[in-house]
Amino acid sequence: MALLNFGRKEASAPAPVNPVLESFLEDFSIEVMPRTAEKIEDFRALLPQKTRVYIAHIEGTPIEDMVATAARLNGQGFDVMPHFPARIIKDTATLKDWIARYQGEANVDQALLLAGGVTTPHGDFDSSMQLLETGAFGKAGFKRLHVAGHPEGNKDIDPDGSMKNVTQALEWKQKFSESSDAEMALATQFCFEAKPVIAWANDLAEAGINIPIHIGVAGPAKLQTLIKFSIACGVGASLRVLQKRAKDVTKLLLPFEPTEFLTELAEHKAANPNFNITHVHFFPLGGIKTNATWVTENGGAAGTPALNAQD
């Protein structure tokens, strides 16, 4: 009889939730694209009520698809934040048209403004600052505006590898935030190593840049997938965390999870309440469901999906 039970394992109880990590994950956000969002039948089965969902606007995506995705997510009870990539917006008239469509058809009142992933502008705009200077978002009454942050720099902005132009842009955005009625935040590229991120955030605070930081985090994914996206997106210093793991044959085929990175940031936040990283923003590189499941399993109340919360 014992042979019949060979290899059988008792179901292990779920690991207890780390309360420090749970607190840090509260009001997290996540990024989707129209083509990935359409694969999800009901986001309420995956995400907590009122989760902020960014909609990435990739070059070539029709504005109609963006607005339809925003309307669907809004209808399911989520706060929708579409991207406004400056370099693919032809002119001020186009910008105002997009804003009007998002407001009129999807009840959107918040946006992420960024330069965008194309090298050559399609029209009049080259940066998020130029979008802000139009005053179009203020006139439309947008309540929240996020701009990009780069803890590891950005080679497109600073080809020499420095932080000079990135820092000057942040100083401009800080001054803008002080005169704007909209709430502002820095949404960053995804990172993998906590110590450089902590040092960067502290350096900004010392420089008088106090715009709240929403730290970008890659959701669980295959190691090869993360390395591919990291190189494509210009993630720099913390890429070494992935490269080191790739050398460990025992871990090569296992999915990489952000648990260690986020726990270290959460513990730093708990010990330093004024630390300016206030929220977590997920890039679901391994899939929306995979990312949402990780948050549900590790975030306690902060990760309870809307439909589960109603039970």
Side-chain angles (χ1 to χ4, degrees), residues 140-223:
F142 269 49
K143 297 178 181 178
R144 177 172 284 276
L145 298 173
H146 289 188
V147 290
H150 304 282
E152 300 180 357
N154 185 306
K155 287 292 182 67
D156 289 337
I157 301 173
D158 287 293
D160 61 358
S162 71
M163 299 283 278
K164 180 182 176 182
N165 294 330
V166 165
T167 301
Q168 287 178 347
L170 285 179
E171 290 170 348
W172 188 97
K173 292 167 185 175
Q174 172 66 34
K175 291 178 182 177
F176 181 90
S177 73
E178 293 167 1
S179 62
S180 174
D181 292 331
E183 292 185 64
M184 293 190 68
L186 300 179
T188 81
Q189 67 197 118
F190 54 88
C191 305
F192 299 100
E193 192 172 11
K195 286 183 175 59
V197 168
I198 292 170
W200 172 76
N202 288 339
D203 286 345
L204 290 190
E206 290 178 11
I209 298 170
N210 57 22
I211 303 173
I213 299 168
H214 294 208
I215 189 66
V217 179
K222 294 179 181 178
L223 193 60

Side-chain angles (χ1 to χ4, degrees), residues 54-297:
Y54 292 59
I55 307 176
H57 195 149
I58 307 302
E59 182 183 18
T61 304
I63 186 62
E64 291 79 11
D65 291 358
M66 292 290 298
V67 174
T69 303
R72 179 189 168 211
L73 287 163
N74 181 274
Q76 292 182 2
F78 298 101
D79 290 338
V80 182
M81 178 171 276
H83 288 197
F84 281 77
R87 293 175 187 165
I88 69 171
I89 300 173
K90 182 179 178 181
D91 50 31
T92 301
T94 302
L95 173 62
K96 290 180 178 179
D97 176 60
W98 285 19
I99 290 173
R101 290 192 189 196
Y102 279 123
Q103 283 192 316
E105 300 174 39
N107 198 31
V108 167
D109 60 5
Q110 49 188 300
L112 171 65
L113 283 58
L114 65 170
V118 300
T119 303
T120 304
H122 292 192
D124 296 341
F125 301 115
D126 185 56
S127 70
S128 61
M129 292 178 288
Q130 291 173 335
L131 295 180
L132 291 170
E133 285 179 324
T134 66
F137 294 95
K139 291 176 182 175
F142 269 49
K143 297 178 181 178
R144 177 172 284 276
L145 298 173
H146 289 188
V147 290
H150 304 282
E152 300 180 357
N154 185 306
K155 287 292 182 67
D156 289 337
I157 301 173
D158 287 293
D160 61 358
S162 71
M163 299 283 278
K164 180 182 176 182
N165 294 330
V166 165
T167 301
Q168 287 178 347
L170 285 179
E171 290 170 348
W172 188 97
K173 292 167 185 175
Q174 172 66 34
K175 291 178 182 177
F176 181 90
S177 73
E178 293 167 1
S179 62
S180 174
D181 292 331
E183 292 185 64
M184 293 190 68
L186 300 179
T188 81
Q189 67 197 118
F190 54 88
C191 305
F192 299 100
E193 192 172 11
K195 286 183 175 59
V197 168
I198 292 170
W200 172 76
N202 288 339
D203 286 345
L204 290 190
E206 290 178 11
I209 298 170
N210 57 22
I211 303 173
I213 299 168
H214 294 208
I215 189 66
V217 179
K222 294 179 181 178
L223 193 60
Q224 298 95 318
T225 299
L226 293 181
I227 292 175
K228 180 183 74 173
F229 276 104
S230 297
I231 293 172
C233 296
V235 172
S238 68
L239 179 59
R240 63 191 172 199
V241 174
L242 301 182
Q243 293 169 330
K244 181 179 179 180
R245 184 184 175 108
K247 295 177 182 178
D248 188 339
V249 177
T250 63
K251 297 179 179 179
L252 188 58
L253 299 179
L254 297 175
F256 184 91
E257 298 185 346
T259 314
E260 183 177 341
F261 173 62
L262 284 174
T263 300
E264 191 170 344
L265 288 179
E267 290 174 348
H268 184 82
K269 177 73 174 181
N272 302 273
N274 293 327
F275 183 55
N276 204 28
I277 291 181
T278 60
H279 291 77
V280 173
H281 175 59
F282 285 105
F283 294 86
L285 303 182
I288 298 170
K289 289 183 179 180
T290 299
N291 200 146
T293 298
W294 183 91
V295 180
T296 299
E297 292 174 349

